Amino acid sequence: MCATCGCGSDGKTTYQLIDKNENLEQTHGHHHPHEHSHKHEHGDKHDHPHTEKKIIVVEQDILHQNNLLAQRNRGFFDAKNILALNLVSSPGSGKTSLLESTLNDLKGELEFVVIEGDQQTNNDADRIAATGIKVTQINTGKGCHLDAHMVLHAIQSLKPKDNSVLFIENVGNLVCPAMFDLGEKERIVIISVTEGDDKPLKYPDMFYTSTLCIINKIDLLPYVPFDIEKVKANAKKVNHKLEIIELSCTTGQGLDIWYKWLKSKVLLPDLVY
Amino acid sequence: MHELSIVMGIIKIAEDYARVANALVIDEIELDIGTMSGIDMQSMEFAWTQATKGTKLSATIKKVNSIMAKAKCIDCETEFEIKNYYDACPVCGQHLIAIIQGKELKVKSLLVS
C-alpha cells in the first residue's frame, strides 16, 4: 500500500526506477475511494420512505482532484527549485531522441532526472538510462495520458535533487495529455516535419496549452511536403504566445537554440550570504 | 479517450456528495461543459454508459449545459463567439485573442433522494 495516499496495489499503472544502484518496482492503484465501512443508518424501526428529493449544489471542477495534486507537485518543485518540463507530442515525433541529445550534451552542466510515460515497455527508460541519467518508467497500461498522481509516485522513487531539471515525457498522444496538469513549469509540444503542417489546427488543445513548440527533424525538409512557415503560422493562430524552435536531433542543427532556451529557464536559487 | 477519466472524476464527485448527504439515489446530475473544454460529447456518452454501470449514477438522468465559447480580442477588445482556437477577431481580423468562456468542465448540482 502507498504510504502517501493509501492507494492499493491492485491497479494497472506500474512504476519502475531504472537505476544501476537500486531497482525498485512499485505498483499503485489509481483510485482513492477513501471509503469507510460504517453505514449511515439509524436504529429506529419506523417506516418513512426516503423519497423527498433535494438539490445538492456541487459547483466542483471535474479535474479538481488532478489539479490539486498538480499544485502539490508544483509546490514541491518550487521548494526544491526544480524545473519540471512536460514533453507532449504524437508518437514518433522524437521526444526521446531530443532527450537523449540533450542529456548527453548537457549532463556536465545541469543535473537531470527523467520520467518516461508509455502504455507498455521500458524501452524509452532504457534509452535514457544508457545516458547515465536516473529515470523512472511509468507504464499506464491502457491509459492514454499521465496525470498528476502518477507523477507524484514517480517522484517518490526518483528523489530529484535541488536545482535539477525534471523532464516528463508524456504518453505519445496529441489529444488527451492536454487536459491534465502535472505540475510542470512549462509544457513543450514537439512536432516533426514528417507530420502534416496543419497539425496545430487539427489538435489545437495541445498547442494552446503549451508554451514552447519544437519542430523536429528539419534535416528531412527537402524530402517532405511540409511547409515550415505554414506550420508556424498555424501554431501562432492557435496560440499567439507560443515560442517556436526548429531543430534536428540527427544533425544537431538548432540544438544550440534549444539549449539556450532550456538554460534560460533554469533559475539559480537566491544565494544566502 | 480521456473522456473516460473525466467520467470517472464525475462519478467520484457525485458519489462523494451523495454519501455526505445520506442520499440513496442520485436522480439527476447537472454538468457544465464548455464547447472548448476538450470534451468530445460522443466519446463522453460512450464512456458514461460503460463507466456508470454498477455505480450510483447507472440510472441517473444527465443534464448537460453546453456553454458556448467566447473570446475577447486583445487588440480591439471585441467580444465574440468562437468555435475554434484559430478563429480570428471578426472586427480587426487578428488572432490575438483570449478565451473568456467555454473551458468549463464541472459538476454543477445533483438532485438526490
Side-chain angles (χ1 to χ4, degrees), chain A residues 32 36 40 50 52-56 58-63 145 176 179 201 204-205 208 237-238 240, chain B residues 1-2 5-6 13 17 21-22 27 37 74 85-86 95-96 105-113:
Chain A
H32 298 255
H36 47 165
H40 295 278
H50 283 268
E52 64 271 30
K53 293 186 190 298
K54 62 175 176 179
I55 290 174
I56 305 173
V58 179
E59 296 283 349
Q60 192 177 106
D61 196 306
I62 294 162
L63 290 167
H145 57 268
C176 310
M179 294 187 75
L201 305 183
D205 284 285
Y208 181 76
K237 273 186 199 171
V238 171
H240 60 88
Chain B
M1 194 58 191
H2 54 280
S5 301
I6 298 300
I13 291 168
Y17 272 83
N22 285 346
D27 299 281
S37 63
I74 296 168
Y85 286 101
Y86 53 82
H95 288 281
L96 296 169
L105 191 56
K106 70 178 177 186
V107 179
K108 197 164 174 60
S109 67
L110 302 174
L111 179 66
V112 300
S113 52

Side-chain angles (χ1 to χ4, degrees), chain A residues 175-271:
Chain A
V175 183
C176 310
M179 294 187 75
F180 296 86
D181 183 9
L182 306 179
E184 71 267 25
K185 186 92 173 179
E186 309 266 351
R187 186 173 293 180
I188 302 170
V189 60
I190 297 156
I191 178 173
S192 59
V193 304
T194 51
E195 302 168 48
D197 47 32
D198 57 350
K199 219 157 206 184
L201 305 183
K202 287 157 79 177
Y203 302 97
D205 284 285
M206 201 63 95
F207 289 84
Y208 181 76
T209 58
S210 295
T211 44
L212 173 68
C213 173
I214 288 179
I215 304 173
N216 190 18
K217 308 188 190 178
I218 56 167
D219 54 305
L220 297 178
L221 274 174
Y223 314 106
V224 290
F226 182 91
D227 185 336
I228 201 155
E229 292 310 317
K230 201 166 157 190
V231 77
K232 283 155 77 174
N234 285 338
K236 288 279 193 186
K237 273 186 199 171
V238 171
N239 179 358
H240 60 88
K241 290 186 277 192
L242 193 65
E243 293 181 77
I244 298 171
I245 295 174
E246 303 160 34
L247 56 79
S248 163
C249 294
T250 306
T251 64
Q253 186 187 349
L255 280 177
D256 54 331
I257 303 168
W258 153 240
Y259 294 159
K260 202 173 159 187
W261 183 94
L262 181 62
K263 286 178 190 170
S264 76
K265 299 292 173 184
V266 177
L267 295 174
L268 291 172
D270 287 337
L271 294 172

Side-chain angles (χ1 to χ4, degrees), chain B residues 69-80:
Chain B
K70 276 187 186 171
K72 186 174 184 176
C73 177
I74 296 168
D75 255 10
C76 71
E77 300 200 334
T78 304
E79 287 188 16
F80 55 100

Side-chain angles (χ1 to χ4, degrees), chain A residues 58-261:
Chain A
V58 179
E59 296 283 349
Q60 192 177 106
D61 196 306
I62 294 162
L63 290 167
H64 179 70
Q65 196 65 26
N66 183 73
N67 293 342
L68 275 182
L69 286 169
Q71 290 295 20
R72 270 177 58 162
N73 291 346
R74 190 166 281 120
F76 171 81
F77 298 143
D78 284 347
K80 290 177 70 72
N81 202 45
I82 292 166
L83 175 65
L85 304 170
N86 182 5
L87 273 62
V88 292
S89 80
S90 329
S93 64
K95 292 187 295 298
T96 315
S97 298
L98 179 70
L99 285 184
E100 284 177 311
S101 298
T102 307
L103 300 175
N104 281 323
D105 291 344
L106 298 183
K107 63 187 173 190
E109 295 177 57
L110 298 170
E111 190 79 41
F112 292 104
V113 279
V114 177
I115 294 171
E116 281 290 338
D118 285 295
Q119 287 196 324
Q120 306 283 333
T121 81
N122 287 342
N123 293 357
D124 283 359
D126 290 341
R127 284 171 62 184
I128 298 300
T131 69
I133 300 297
K134 208 170 168 187
V135 55
T136 285
Q137 176 77 53
I138 302 176
N139 281 146
T140 59
K142 295 281 183 283
C144 52
H145 57 268
L146 295 182
D147 62 31
H149 176 224
M150 297 178 195
V151 169
L152 177 138
H153 283 306
I155 300 164
Q156 287 172 335
S157 61
L158 266 180
K159 300 180 181 66
K161 289 182 184 165
D162 289 2
N163 310 318
S164 57
V165 177
L166 167 65
F167 284 119
I168 305 166
E169 184 182 330
N170 218 310
V171 176
N173 177 341
L174 212 47
V175 183
C176 310
M179 294 187 75
F180 296 86
D181 183 9
L182 306 179
E184 71 267 25
K185 186 92 173 179
E186 309 266 351
R187 186 173 293 180
I188 302 170
V189 60
I190 297 156
I191 178 173
S192 59
V193 304
T194 51
E195 302 168 48
D197 47 32
D198 57 350
K199 219 157 206 184
L201 305 183
K202 287 157 79 177
Y203 302 97
D205 284 285
M206 201 63 95
F207 289 84
Y208 181 76
T209 58
S210 295
T211 44
L212 173 68
C213 173
I214 288 179
I215 304 173
N216 190 18
K217 308 188 190 178
I218 56 167
D219 54 305
L220 297 178
L221 274 174
Y223 314 106
V224 290
F226 182 91
D227 185 336
I228 201 155
E229 292 310 317
K230 201 166 157 190
V231 77
K232 283 155 77 174
N234 285 338
K236 288 279 193 186
K237 273 186 199 171
V238 171
N239 179 358
H240 60 88
K241 290 186 277 192
L242 193 65
E243 293 181 77
I244 298 171
I245 295 174
E246 303 160 34
L247 56 79
S248 163
C249 294
T250 306
T251 64
Q253 186 187 349
L255 280 177
D256 54 331
I257 303 168
W258 153 240
Y259 294 159
K260 202 173 159 187
W261 183 94

